[in-house]
Amino acid sequence: MPEGPSLYILKEQAARFVGQEIVHAEGNTWAIDTARLVGQPIVALHTWGKHLLIELPGLVLRIHFLLFGTYRIDERRDKPARLSLRMADGGELNVYACSVREIERTAFEAYDFSADVMSDQWDPKKARKKLRARPELLACDALLDQDIFSGVGNIIKNEVLFRIRVHPLSNVGALPAPKLRALVDEARQYSFDFLAWKKQFVLKQHWLAHAQKTCPRCDIPFLKANLGRTKRRSFYCERCQKRYN
Ligand SMILES: [Zn+2]
């Protein structure tokens, strides 16, 4: 876990809890008073990148899945949940290894859903504008920037750069306009491909670059390095992924 599409699946699986009352809440979170949640109905569920937002009448819970967060619906892992919510129909939402916080209504209203690649409100024009404003940004860092591409994680980053034949160390300001457009468009397109493949349990077999040894286009070894300010693993081909600087 988790990239944006995984959270999107969580939101779909938990959709039936919307409108239901929380009948029991517990967990090893120290950041919120779980007793306060009992008796409140879930008004809506939202996702933004790796954040799940649970909107209740009295408050908004922000669950941030960080790097290793996981969840279970109607079942439990064999370790204590950070937060466990039991719903009126007997179902459960359990989250692990994540950060749970209550956020202010104003903070909730400030979420920019137009930056979320999975959102109906996704705005590619705005993403291109943000990229043009930061020409020095490296392509590998740009895709992981959650203010530009909320929901994109390391797998999507590697696959998108391979798809559009762009070297991870390219400066976004040096990309020709069609490449910049392709970067933005494929960040969303690949996320939906990821979603479809993940639902069919065939995600890994579709990886062309991420965690792969050989470039399928050139039949030469991929390079592997922790690149950019984000220092996340990049898999790339020096022959078919052009470096723009
Ligand atoms: Zn290649």
Side-chain angles (χ1 to χ4, degrees), residues 162 215-220 222 237-241:
F162 182 72
C215 173
R217 285 195 291 247
C218 308
D219 201 28
I220 59 171
F222 273 125
C237 175
E238 281 214 306
R239 186 192 282 174
C240 64
Q241 288 177 256

Side-chain angles (χ1 to χ4, degrees), residues 185-243:
D185 292 348
E186 287 299 334
R188 177 168 167 94
Q189 182 55 51
Y190 191 85
S191 298
F192 278 93
D193 292 344
F194 181 122
L195 173 68
W197 291 328
K198 196 172 167 76
K199 280 180 172 176
Q200 297 163 38
F201 307 102
V202 294
L203 175 63
K204 280 189 188 177
Q205 69 198 58
H206 283 90
W207 289 349
L208 298 177
H210 185 78
Q212 305 303 302
K213 289 192 163 61
T214 309
C215 173
R217 285 195 291 247
C218 308
D219 201 28
I220 59 171
F222 273 125
L223 297 182
K224 176 178 146 182
N226 295 340
L227 301 181
R229 189 174 38 80
T230 45
K231 292 193 166 53
R232 301 289 308 279
R233 275 195 311 167
S234 287
F235 297 84
Y236 59 103
C237 175
E238 281 214 306
R239 186 192 282 174
C240 64
Q241 288 177 256
K242 189 174 170 187
R243 185 166 172 170

Side-chain angles (χ1 to χ4, degrees), residues 70-73 75-76 81 83-85 92-96:
T70 55
Y71 70 89
R72 292 289 185 275
I73 290 172
E75 56 181 24
R76 296 181 179 196
L83 181 65
S84 174
L85 301 177
E92 279 185 11
L93 171 61
N94 299 305
V95 296
Y96 306 85

